[in-house]
Amino acid sequence: MNWTPVFAGVTKSQGLSKDEKEREKGPKMLAPDNTPLPNEIINDIIARHPDKTGDVLSVLEEIQQAHPLKYLPRETLDYVACRMGVSRSQVLSVATFYSFFNLAPQGRHTVTVCRGTACHTRGSKQLLDALKASAGFHEDDEAGSATSFTTPDFGMTIRTVACFGQCALAPVAAIDHEIYGHVSDFKLKKLVSAIDKGTAS
Amino acid sequence: MRIHDLDGLHDIRRTGLMKLLPGKPRIGVGMGTCGMGNGAREVFQALERELERQGVDAQLTPVGCFGFCAAEPLVNVHIPGLPLAVLGEVKPDDAAAIVQAIALRQPPLEKAICKIEEWDHLTGHVMYGRGLPELPHWNEIPFFKGQKKIVLRNCGLINPEDIEEYIAVGGYHAFYQATQKPNVTEIIEEVKKSKLRGRGGAGYPTGVKWDLLSKTVADQKYIICNADEGDPGAYMNRNEIESDPHMLIEGMLIGAFATGASEGIVYLRAEYPLAVQRLKRAVAEAREFGLIGDNVLGTSFCFDIKLVEGAGAFVCGEETAMIESLEGRAGRPRPRPPFPAQKGLWGKPTNINNVETWCNVPVIVARGGAWFSEIGTAQSTGTKVFSLVGKIRNTGLVELPLGTPLKNVIYDIGQGSPGGKRVKALQSGGPSGGCIPADNFDVTIDYESLAQIGAIMGSGGMVVMDEDNCMVDVARYFVEFTHSESCGKCIPCRAGLDQALRILKKITGGQAEESDIQDLEELGQMIKEMSLCGLGQTAPNPVLTTLRYFRHEYEEHLRARRCRAGVCEDLFLSPCENSCPLHMRIPQFLELTKEGRIADAAEMIWLDNPLPGSTGRICQHPCESQCRRKTVDAPLNMREVHRFISDQVFGGPLLDEVRTRLAGRRMAATGKKIAIVGAGPSGLAAGFYLALLGHDVTIHEAREEAGGMLRYSLPQYRLPKDMLSKELEIIAGLGVTFRFGQKLGAGVSLDVLEAENDAVFLATGTWKAARAGITGEESPSVWHAIHFLEQVARGEPTQIGQKVVVIGGGNAAVDSARTALRLGCEVTIAYRRERQEMPAIAEEVTDAEAEGVRLQFLVAPQRVVTDKRGRVTGIELMRTKLGDYTLDGRRRPMSTSEKIVVPCDNIILAIGERPDAEPLRRFGIHVRENDTAAADWVTYETNRPRVFAGGDLVTGASNVSSTMATGKAAARAIDHILTGQDRLPALLGTFDVAQAVPPEPEGGARNVSEEMPAAQRRANFAEVMRGLTQAQAAAESGRCLRCDVRETCSAKE
Ligand code: FES
């Protein structure tokens, strides 16, 4: 096994409360782009999907979830292709086609802003823009195809979702999968600064 | 626990019923995702603790969602023998009281919104009990009225994680029945007879699809449930699976049995973790009970269900794309034929139906296809679940018989837009659907009717949009979505949507040309006709429907570079500026005021608005409704800050400074002559700007002084006339010449004006009173508001009696009432609708009431009552009640038979004014049906070149700032035509204003000016509002959140 889980066992408050300095160290600790998941774990996941219908998607979904940085390193994709007996191009095509899959490491925290229609009519674009701006991302419309933004220190990833199915609470945002309804930009800023400080739930 | 036969099923049913009606109180907490998002889990835990603490014996159980999302968390309480009480908006703090009530065997009524005495689960029936007359029945409250729950038959009433409760209400009985049919074709026939159509959007008959599959011979067949609910804004499938997963499993079982499929796959969105979890659990339970697996219910039928989580690709909702995805590839659609029924998953015959389609099946088998087909319309049978979201008060899941008129959903069930804004459109069917304008809300909801107006039913997402939503932005939003979701396989969709998005961005960015609209339209048609799959074929719908119904919004973006809704950020400074008809640079003058740069603030204000003393007092302040500060506490009091500045100017040495600065801005003389007819706010604004732009301006006015309605209609207590005169002096000081006593058609002739000037601007206003059409209206004691107000404004005696009734609900009505009151009368305002619908400024109504004006709502004038000598003694009013909603979202006042007579000496009619169109007609100017002048809505030019018209003459009676805005716009256009340059922006200039957003909202609570106490003000015409103090104005300015400063980047440093 060549991989040590960087943040395994580190609870949020421990990992984050040591404020700015700790965070500055973050990138160095987290940056290894190609940290693959140990093969044993991948093998286990593949073994759990003996039935061929839907297996590629499910396997990749589980592997991504198992990765502490919630992404699919290139090596992993190759390994999965070889192990499952499908072509590398097919696995890569799947991994790039579906918005669920990340090909780059994700931040320790994820803030997801819903860009569904109900949320859009209730101002989720402004929420997202304000959030991005406060995290230092330039508003660049031409490159507007990017759907996720990770801060350089891997502290936070901002992403969007097509709909949480929580439309009655629009606009909706989620912080590390905890859903918040009727979010205003003030409320979101507060929530985000709470995770910055490591005080979020 | 395996069930082998009917007896086995009955045994479980009995056990299940003991859980549903346990012989002791049962509390069900709605634990769908949306309930939990609103704190249902905390409520559940609190109830658990309280039951324990108070030692109360009751059964606490999670249930699904009952659909009324706006009232979440929902809790239902059943005390044996009594109806089930549904409680809304339950907080953990309510738990103690709820449990206390239950301990006393009383339902906790405080939070109860409705009751259920008995419930028809369609496959079974539950009697809860009768009583609780104080609570309405569930289907009597607006949200549920008219709903019919077939798919949602069990949702919110049973525990979704307990198969026994599902069986208790007749679950799996339909499946059992199906297995007993001698021939499976009977099942298919029943489904055909029901005329059930696919609920995923396309509406293909389910029975026909099944028939195809069952007739295909193959060693292996698949059925698939499409639960990849990809339409943003639609979440009914999530709720159906979360609240009642077994109905889906049973539907699939029946389908598999009827068509000979041995494997079922549910393709479910990964974004719905709770649905995944509940369905997994339900499948496991069903397997444990022998309902799926080998030899189901002791028959030879074998069937298994597998769950696959989709990974977020909208196109996978398309059936061939979904099959690709299930086979482990990117979800790109395949051309059809072959259809999945012939060659589907892994090349085997496959049938795909949507969640809701499957969920209808058990009911169809249980109750018969004929029963089902009687619900809905002839071609669209049954019900459909809609998610009603967006700008709507009652959000939630609504299940309706097909054929229900849309307006019932929006106004009766949904109760319109929150905050009283006007609903503008409904977006139905997600990115493949269209936008239905409010004028079309009488359409019925069924496949054909919706298709006819360019929308589709789709999966049932209904997103309501109001005035604050921009329809061009909506089109752009959807194209952005489909563009990024396009799989890229076919060119029309991939490249076409890209092009369409580019054009839409140009329009929303204010950079488009007139030809772009046409290009967009043609492009849309092309994509629609040439794309490979449903995604591309329907992707242009949002564009095409908005172009069809909201073309004026596109044109406004294009021609006026304006986004009225305040969404397209490139087109405005801030939401308040955008909503201000005069486009005052509000955040900037607030900043200047805050910094104490009063002279700069005054200069900027005057440049934006030449009558700030007047508007500062009487403007309708639309800015407040858009102010973002109201999400923190209350909107900014922008109106009174600019009044403060103008008061500062008129109260001291600043006046000279402002006059000097304005004069300094006057551009070099152009030598062009312009005649303006009418010295009301519109003509004055036009004159002001044209003079500053260097033209030679003369204003011709019929009356003996300038000001129009401001002088001759607005009462002194709201708008002191000496202040108005000072404002006029500034305008005159800039070189505008006034000629009084010049009436159009009498003293001045349009032909002469036209010949002697380079341009003419007509702004003669609306000085003709509308008639009420009631008997006795001609009596000399019945007056029209504008005449009465003018008489008082001129200081002429009125011979008003003791008691006065004012008819109407607008500002003129309130002004007349308060004026009459000051003349010593007893006054009643009679209005045919309710208070919140009065068009008058709300503060004015409150003030009137405080002064002692009586308000009578829901009455319509019938006739003037006179005595033998013809003297008015009263007015007969008919009581009205509010009936149906009309298409404008208001309820129609309907006559009742009840009449009342209100005794009075005078009646003042304030029911509207119109322009005097005669002189215009004579000069060949086009006049609309309502007597207003027809003019271009951007330039205000009439059909006669270089003759412009503006103000109320064009718009009909409006308000001061809107009417001034037309003058300002016309001035810009006139100048542009005469000089060949668009020079107004340069005239307005830019100011050096600090660009910093306050990190936290500052400045505390809203500041309002002191008012003279009501008791003092009733006796005289002294001004009521005293104006903000210096400290107040500074503090108020500091409250601004500076929406004009766009946070761009790197705020983190
Ligand atoms: S649109 Fe945002 S949750 Fe559905």
Side-chain angles (χ1 to χ4, degrees):
Chain A
M1 199 192 289
N2 55 5
W3 173 82
T4 15
V6 181
F7 273 93
V10 180
T11 64
K12 271 183 210 162
S13 53
Q14 272 180 312
L16 294 172
S17 61
K18 288 180 194 151
D19 73 75
E20 303 300 318
K21 266 187 195 152
E22 182 74 11
R23 271 208 285 154
E24 267 161 32
K25 274 193 273 161
K28 271 169 241 129
M29 295 154 63
L30 279 159
D33 255 6
N34 302 318
T35 332
L37 215 51
N39 291 344
E40 290 84 342
I41 297 187
I42 301 181
N43 294 347
D44 271 3
I45 292 175
I46 294 177
R48 263 187 268 139
H49 294 273
D51 177 4
K52 62 183 179 160
T53 304
D55 57 357
V56 178
L57 251 68
S58 308
V59 163
L60 292 181
E61 280 163 9
E62 284 183 31
I63 293 176
Q64 177 169 299
Q65 286 314 101
H67 198 293
L69 304 184
K70 302 284 179 269
Y71 86 116
L72 299 168
R74 192 56 189 260
E75 288 87 337
T76 302
L77 294 178
D78 291 349
Y79 181 76
V80 167
C82 153
R83 185 85 191 181
M84 292 181 77
V86 285
S87 68
R88 280 159 70 177
S89 67
Q90 185 182 335
V91 173
L92 192 62
S93 143
V94 167
T96 51
F97 186 82
Y98 298 94
S99 63
F100 185 83
F101 298 122
N102 306 314
L103 298 176
Q106 301 294 291
R108 281 164 291 177
H109 297 282
T110 309
V111 182
T112 314
V113 177
C114 175
R115 289 292 289 127
T117 322
C119 292
H120 180 73
T121 59
R122 286 180 171 256
S124 71
K125 173 97 181 355
Q126 287 84 317
L127 271 187
L128 181 65
D129 288 348
L131 179 64
K132 272 162 55 185
S134 67
F137 293 103
H138 292 254
E139 159 85 274
D140 184 357
D141 217 18
E142 280 318 300
S145 52
T147 50
S148 86
F149 306 86
T150 303
T151 52
D153 64 355
F154 293 93
M156 169 170 75
T157 295
I158 299 170
R159 53 188 309 149
T160 61
V161 67
C163 174
F164 280 118
Q166 297 272 50
C167 324
L169 308 182
V172 178
I175 296 179
D176 294 335
H177 304 289
E178 184 75 28
I179 292 204
Y180 298 90
H182 302 304
V183 184
S184 66
D185 46 359
F186 296 111
K187 187 166 158 189
L188 190 58
K189 253 184 213 160
K190 254 192 210 132
L191 289 167
V192 169
S193 68
I195 52 167
D196 271 0
K197 295 192 196 88
T199 51
S201 62
Chain B
M1 255 317 174
R2 280 183 78 88
I3 303 172
H4 297 283
D5 48 23
L6 191 58
D7 284 345
L9 203 54
H10 282 162
D11 283 347
I12 307 278
R13 184 170 193 164
R14 272 188 292 275
T15 333
L17 275 172
M18 287 301 294
K19 291 183 178 171
L20 271 184
L21 301 169
K24 60 181 177 186
R26 170 173 151 122
I27 313 172
V29 181
M31 303 272 268
T33 311
C34 40
M36 301 222 261
N38 269 320
R41 203 184 289 130
E42 290 71 27
V43 170
F44 190 92
Q45 287 160 353
L47 285 165
E48 206 167 29
R49 275 196 306 273
E50 279 303 321
L51 286 173
E52 166 91 38
R53 194 180 66 83
Q54 301 186 26
V56 175
D57 183 23
Q59 183 189 321
L60 178 65
T61 178
V63 292
C65 171
F66 199 50
F68 194 1
C69 301
E72 298 265 21
L74 295 168
V75 171
N76 59 52
V77 174
H78 181 229
I79 311 265
L82 288 177
L84 182 81
V86 180
L87 324 185
E89 295 181 56
V90 180
K91 302 270 159 329
D93 288 351
D94 301 325
I98 293 174
V99 172
Q100 249 159 40
I102 291 172
L104 302 168
R105 299 255 152 173
Q106 278 162 9
L109 290 178
E110 202 180 308
K111 291 255 161 163
I113 50 178
C114 60
K115 67 176 172 189
I116 297 170
E117 290 189 339
E118 57 185 316
W119 190 262
D120 188 0
H121 287 270
L122 301 175
T123 51
H125 186 270
V126 171
M127 180 71 206
Y128 288 108
R130 307 231 178 263
L132 304 180
E134 58 275 59
L135 274 186
H137 288 280
W138 75 282
N139 53 7
E140 284 172 354
I141 65 172
F143 181 74
F144 290 113
K145 207 168 175 179
Q147 290 204 44
K148 181 165 182 68
K149 290 183 180 250
I150 293 182
V151 173
L152 303 179
R153 58 193 176 272
N154 306 326
C155 296
L157 298 170
I158 63 167
N159 179 354
E161 298 195 350
D162 189 343
I163 189 173
E164 293 183 343
E165 292 199 7
Y166 179 69
I167 293 176
V169 296
Y172 290 111
H173 287 65
F175 171 57
Y176 174 79
Q177 248 174 289
T179 61
Q180 299 307 302
K181 304 258 176 184
N183 193 332
V184 295
T185 53
E186 276 182 42
I187 306 170
I188 297 179
E189 276 316 306
E190 216 52 57
V191 176
K192 278 189 177 166
K193 216 189 286 170
S194 75
K195 298 199 244 164
L196 173 66
R197 297 169 67 172
R199 296 297 193 238
Y204 197 76
T206 306
V208 176
K209 259 170 110 168
W210 286 20
D211 204 14
L212 271 174
L213 185 69
S214 94
K215 288 195 178 124
T216 315
V217 187
D219 57 339
Q220 164 98 54
K221 297 180 195 174
Y222 294 103
I223 57 169
I224 297 177
C225 167
N226 181 352
D228 191 39
E229 190 161 61
D231 283 5
Y235 62 101
M236 61 289 295
N237 292 168
R238 170 181 69 67
N239 180 52
E240 285 147 15
I241 295 176
E242 281 176 6
S243 298
D244 195 10
H246 286 286
M247 71 171 161
L248 170 61
I249 298 176
E250 187 179 4
M252 291 181 73
L253 268 170
I254 296 172
F257 185 80
T259 59
S262 59
E263 196 175 327
I265 296 134
V266 181
Y267 190 96
L268 180 57
R269 290 187 83 197
E271 285 90 346
Y272 291 171
L274 186 64
V276 171
Q277 180 203 320
R278 292 226 170 119
L279 187 60
K280 273 191 182 150
R281 188 192 164 106
V283 169
E285 271 185 305
R287 189 172 291 124
E288 192 188 318
F289 279 67
L291 290 160
I292 51 182
D294 291 342
N295 303 102
V296 171
L297 282 181
T299 65
S300 61
F301 173 58
C302 307
F303 179 68
D304 220 327
I305 289 185
K306 182 178 160 70
L307 207 141
V308 175
E309 288 177 53
F314 175 66
V315 68
C316 288
E318 206 278 343
E319 53 181 19
T320 60
M322 181 173 289
I323 289 171
E324 286 284 310
S325 174
L326 285 171
E327 292 181 0
R329 282 187 293 274
R332 296 202 170 83
R334 308 169 179 170
R336 294 177 302 184
F339 288 93
Q342 298 135 8
K343 242 176 142 221
L345 183 60
W346 304 114
K348 304 291 181 195
T350 302
N351 176 54
I352 302 184
N353 280 129
N354 168 270
V355 176
E356 213 173 305
T357 318
W358 292 116
C359 294
N360 273 303
V361 169
V363 180
I364 291 171
V365 172
R367 303 295 288 259
W371 173 86
F372 189 87
S373 71
E374 256 156 44
I375 300 159
T377 69
Q379 283 178 54
S380 300
T381 60
T383 57
K384 173 80 193 85
V385 182
F386 296 97
S387 60
L388 187 58
V389 294
K391 298 292 185 60
I392 189 93
R393 208 164 293 179
N394 284 342
T395 51
L397 290 175
V398 175
E399 183 170 3
L400 294 164
L402 291 169
T404 304
L406 190 50
K407 67 178 176 134
N408 296 11
V409 182
I410 307 290
Y411 300 124
D412 291 310
I413 293 177
Q415 299 278 295
S417 165
K421 301 228 168 162
R422 214 171 117 65
V423 172
K424 181 154 85 178
L426 174 85
Q427 207 287 337
S428 99
S432 312
C435 292
I436 305 169
D439 295 346
N440 279 13
F441 281 177
D442 48 2
V443 68
T444 56
I445 308 168
D446 58 77
Y447 292 93
E448 280 70 28
S449 307
L450 289 182
Q452 215 166 48
I453 58 169
I456 63 163
M457 180 121 72
S459 53
M462 285 189 172
V463 185
V464 180
M465 323 237 164
D466 68 9
E467 305 160 48
D468 294 344
N469 295 112
C470 163
M471 302 315 284
V472 186
D473 170 74
V474 166
R476 170 190 147 145
Y477 163 80
F478 279 115
V479 173
E480 226 159 41
F481 181 82
T482 41
H483 172 255
S484 74
E485 293 293 334
S486 167
C487 77
K489 187 164 176 168
C490 71
I491 295 168
C493 171
R494 172 176 23 126
L497 289 174
D498 195 57
Q499 202 50 38
L501 183 57
R502 228 174 272 260
I503 299 180
L504 284 163
K505 282 184 175 169
K506 260 167 81 186
I507 301 177
T508 55
Q511 266 136 21
E513 301 128 47
E514 307 246 342
S515 63
D516 281 323
I517 290 193
Q518 176 132 27
D519 289 351
L520 191 60
E521 206 154 29
E522 283 167 13
L523 199 57
Q525 281 304 338
M526 185 278 291
I527 301 171
K528 199 173 168 136
E529 281 155 27
M530 319 261 287
S531 292
L532 174 66
C533 82
L535 188 146
Q537 289 158 8
T538 57
N541 285 348
V543 177
L544 294 173
T545 50
T546 47
L547 274 171
R548 175 163 160 195
Y549 297 115
F550 299 95
R551 205 183 191 90
H552 55 277
E553 289 195 25
Y554 282 84
E555 281 169 354
E556 207 164 19
H557 282 70
L558 256 163
R559 289 191 59 208
R561 300 280 190 245
R562 175 147 157 65
C563 174
R564 194 171 288 269
V567 175
C568 302
E569 287 191 335
D570 293 341
L571 304 184
F572 57 84
L573 180 73
S574 64
C576 49
E577 171 272 337
N578 194 49
S579 68
C580 173
L582 287 161
H583 298 284
M584 295 184 73
R585 288 164 272 184
I586 299 170
Q588 301 191 343
F589 81 63
L590 290 172
E591 177 67 28
L592 293 173
T593 309
K594 180 177 126 191
E595 291 174 18
R597 291 164 63 187
I598 306 298
D600 290 341
E603 186 185 4
M604 177 189 272
I605 287 172
W606 247 273
L607 284 169
D608 289 342
N609 170 359
L611 299 170
S614 298
T615 56
R617 289 172 167 79
I618 61 163
C619 179
Q620 305 259 27
H621 54 69
C623 46
E624 288 192 12
S625 77
Q626 300 300 325
C627 179
R628 212 160 51 91
R629 178 78 192 214
K630 76 176 174 218
T631 62
V632 180
D633 44 24
L636 261 281
N637 190 351
M638 300 165 262
R639 180 177 81 172
E640 287 199 304
V641 175
H642 87 266
R643 166 181 169 178
F644 166 79
I645 299 289
S646 88
D647 285 354
Q648 292 295 103
V649 169
F650 292 128
L654 214 49
L655 180 58
D656 283 337
E657 162 108 23
V658 169
R659 294 181 89 149
T660 318
R661 286 199 189 195
L662 288 175
R665 290 203 175 241
R666 192 168 175 183
M667 295 183 170
T670 58
K672 304 283 183 195
K673 281 181 69 187
I674 295 151
I676 293 173
V677 187
S682 179
L684 290 169
F688 172 85
Y689 288 107
L690 288 166
L692 281 179
L693 289 160
H695 306 293
D696 180 359
V697 183
T698 307
I699 301 183
H700 304 261
E701 166 59 44
R703 289 178 169 72
E704 48 293 334
E705 273 185 276
M709 291 266 182
L710 297 179
R711 181 174 300 279
Y712 294 106
S713 188
L714 269 139
Q716 176 79 10
Y717 63 87
R718 282 181 72 197
L719 182 59
K721 299 299 140 58
D722 49 340
M723 192 283 309
L724 176 64
S725 300
K726 289 181 192 159
E727 286 184 316
L728 296 170
E729 272 165 35
I730 294 186
I731 297 177
L734 292 168
V736 175
T737 313
F738 288 90
R739 297 191 54 208
F740 296 107
Q742 304 278 310
K743 198 167 155 57
L744 187 66
V748 271
S749 133
L750 189 53
D751 290 314
V752 175
L753 288 181
E754 214 182 356
E756 291 179 352
N757 290 279
D758 296 288
V760 180
F761 179 60
L762 303 173
T764 48
T766 46
W767 289 95
K768 265 173 76 176
R771 289 178 43 88
I774 54 173
T775 25
E777 197 176 346
E778 309 72 26
S779 156
S781 303
V782 178
W783 299 337
H784 289 282
I786 38 169
H787 302 152
F788 167 66
L789 290 170
E790 180 167 356
Q791 226 175 343
V792 177
R794 287 174 178 280
E796 292 165 8
T798 56
Q799 288 170 343
I800 199 161
Q802 192 49 47
K803 289 189 174 138
V804 176
V805 173
V806 180
I807 308 288
N811 284 324
V814 180
D815 286 348
S816 302
R818 294 177 73 188
T819 299
L821 192 88
R822 281 167 171 73
L823 295 175
C825 309
E826 253 173 65
V827 188
T828 304
I829 292 182
Y831 180 52
R832 63 197 185 115
R833 296 176 183 271
E834 286 179 309
R835 182 185 195 126
Q836 62 270 23
E837 296 196 88
M838 286 179 84
I841 302 180
E843 295 96 306
E844 295 293 318
V845 182
T846 319
D847 280 351
E849 211 174 16
E851 287 164 9
V853 172
R854 219 168 63 96
L855 301 169
Q856 175 124 33
F857 298 107
L858 294 173
V859 283
Q862 291 299 300
R863 98 193 141 83
V864 176
V865 183
T866 46
D867 63 11
K868 286 200 195 86
R869 294 191 321 222
R871 254 195 1 217
V872 171
T873 59
I875 180 155
E876 185 181 282
L877 302 167
M878 162 97 75
R879 279 201 198 280
T880 56
K881 62 168 195 270
L882 294 178
D884 279 11
Y885 282 92
T886 50
L887 292 178
D888 63 359
R890 304 203 294 177
R891 294 175 67 186
R892 196 193 315 268
M894 313 253 285
S895 305
T896 62
S897 49
E898 196 188 334
K899 288 179 184 163
I900 48 171
V901 172
V902 180
C904 62
D905 309 303
N906 287 98
I907 296 159
I908 300 177
L909 299 172
I911 48 175
E913 304 90 39
R914 13 175 71 201
D916 181 5
E918 246 337 278
L920 299 186
R921 285 209 181 87
R922 243 182 293 141
F923 291 119
I925 293 199
H926 291 171
V927 172
R928 302 192 196 90
E929 219 172 88
N930 61 359
D931 284 354
T932 57
D936 182 90
W937 56 272
V938 178
T939 63
Y940 293 96
E941 191 162 10
T942 65
N943 59 305
R944 265 172 91 151
R946 304 216 171 175
V947 176
F948 296 73
D952 288 357
L953 173 64
V954 168
T955 59
S958 65
N959 55 62
V960 61
S961 46
S962 306
T963 202
M964 287 172 71
T966 63
K968 188 173 178 179
R972 181 177 182 177
I974 292 171
D975 178 63
H976 196 158
I977 289 177
L978 297 186
T979 66
Q981 279 172 294
D982 183 16
R983 305 189 305 158
L984 188 77
L987 174 69
L988 303 182
T990 50
F991 286 72
D992 184 20
V993 180
Q995 298 285 309
V997 180
E1000 287 291 325
E1002 286 168 11
R1006 178 180 157 107
N1007 298 279
V1008 222
S1009 90
E1010 203 189 310
E1011 262 183 88
M1012 193 201 304
Q1016 273 174 37
R1017 63 196 194 220
R1018 357 182 350 158
N1020 58 61
F1021 281 86
E1023 185 167 20
V1024 172
M1025 305 297 289
R1026 298 196 165 135
L1028 298 177
T1029 63
Q1030 176 128 27
Q1032 278 182 311
E1036 190 58 17
S1037 302
R1039 294 178 68 236
C1040 177
L1041 300 176
R1042 295 302 304 275
C1043 309
D1044 60 319
V1045 183
R1046 307 277 155 85
E1047 290 180 271
T1048 43
C1049 65
S1050 57
K1052 237 184 177 172
E1053 264 97 285

